[in-house]
Amino acid sequence: ARAQIGVTGLAVMGRNLARNFARHGYTVAVHNRSYAKTESLIADHGTDGDFVPSESTADFVASIERPRKIVIMVKAGAATDAVIDELIPHLEEGDVVIDGGNAHFPDTIRREHKLSELGLHFVGMGVSGGEEGALNGPSIMPGGPKESYTTLGPILEDISAKVDGTPCCTWVGPDGAGHFVKMVHNGIEYADMQLIAEAYDLLKHGLGESAAGIGKIFEQWNKGDLESFLIEITADVLQHVDAETGKAFVDVVLDQAEQKGTGRWTVQNALDLGVPITGIAEATFARALSGSVPQREAARAALPGDAGTWQIEDRDAFVEDVRLALYASKLVAYSQGFDQIAAASAEYGWGIDRGAMARIWRGGCIIRAKFLNRITEAYERDENLPLLIADPYFADVVGKGLAAWRRIVAQAALNGVPTPAFASSLSYYDGVRAERLPAALIQAQRDFFGAHTYRRVDREGTFHTEWSGDRSETTA
Ligand code: NDP
């Protein structure tokens, strides 16, 4: 046994992660269900470092130093269970099994419990950054038993992305915490992408600007507060020309967005926890709407628009309004995502440090961005901060952009451009800061038809009104 770490599952992600370990000087045991992928890794990239290929699971496990560290990088779901079951008979007490796939966190909790009963450690590890990140430094979100992080952590931190010399990897929390945080990361990614897409659509309709022209605007934005990977690639994509037609690439792509499911999981979990993540939810539904082809056809044929036509006098002012509205909406989406992390952390007893999560998302992952520093600072100022946008820095930023945000959402509505994420984020902002909400009426309605009771503003207790009787009030 001479490998310090093993990787099983050598499709794009596993192969690149194995190469990343090898390039950092680790001897890496490599294995894949079908041996061809293992052979091609050695043939194509054997010179990256020291690999120990095995065809059988038994040889693979035997080639790794104890306590073993084995990263599973296979298709999430049943395949992960199959690989775990295949490994178990060959493992010994104290060995660490690490699932780097996009597992759903309840599966990770289940697997962690099962393996801990066998005396094995199970680490559910979120990995973000795609194949490029896996090779050159991803953001890594490992959960599981904290003691396994003492030996595993330094290796993961070594191969992770670095920002200002700080690794984009830290222990997240017990059992499913790592995969949970990865899931919310993806949910935020959905919101971020949708907001950028809405900003593009507003600039397109408002200014009648070409894709390339809008790409230039995004390029400018990437020099300021919005500086991030997603803004950067948006600028690039918008300026890309389709080789076949000579048209802007974005104009030849079918407008039906797909998803693999992490956004949906995020929204489902938020519903379970009762956390309003409206930005992420609208982004997920916007993808669903785009793919609802029969509904879109029926609507186009039957529904009037009655929309105005854009009349923009000051082009630069409009662009700045869209930028401010984008930043404010984005802050709401992140604020909501961090609320969800806080709620889940309390529900599952994970003790997640939200500031640390923002820190490990600064590099390597898809939502990597400069402003994440600000989130870390906000949670450093107050680790129990109840609402991220209420932090003084963010309150100031959002406050300064508020008038622009309202103008943009209003103009979008008047001119018939759908902005579900911009508009719902503004509604959330106004809702969460409202002195008094119409929820009072909802409580009254609930008491009327279902005797669900209500509380009063002027005294303690729970009450019911005899709606169908004499309308007297009783203490429930
Ligand atoms: P895929 O999700 O396409 O999975 C292919 C790999 O899974 C192959 O190695 C395949 O082996 C193996 N596999 C499938 N079924 C089984 C099984 N029943 N038993 C054993 N092995 C099996 O690969 P990716 O590299 O794209 O992703 C790997 C994991 O990383 C996934 O969980 C994914 O969600 C996650 N992930 C992916 C990212 C990405 O950008 N692609 C980003 C972050 C995470 P074989 O070659 O024998 O078919």
Side-chain angles (χ1 to χ4, degrees), residues 10-13 32-34 37 74-76 79 83 101-102 127 130:
L10 301 174
V12 284
M13 288 299 288
N32 191 69
R33 176 178 60 177
S34 47
K37 279 201 180 71
V74 302
K75 201 169 154 52
V83 173
N102 262 335
V127 179

Side-chain angles (χ1 to χ4, degrees), residues 13 17 71 73 98-102 125-130 133-134 138-142 178-179 182 185-186 364-365:
M13 288 299 288
L17 216 52
V71 179
M73 216 58 200
I98 303 132
D99 175 19
N102 262 335
M125 175 175 84
V127 179
S128 179
S139 172
I140 310 180
M141 294 150 257
H179 276 135
K182 170 70 201 304
H185 162 285
N186 284 29
C365 64

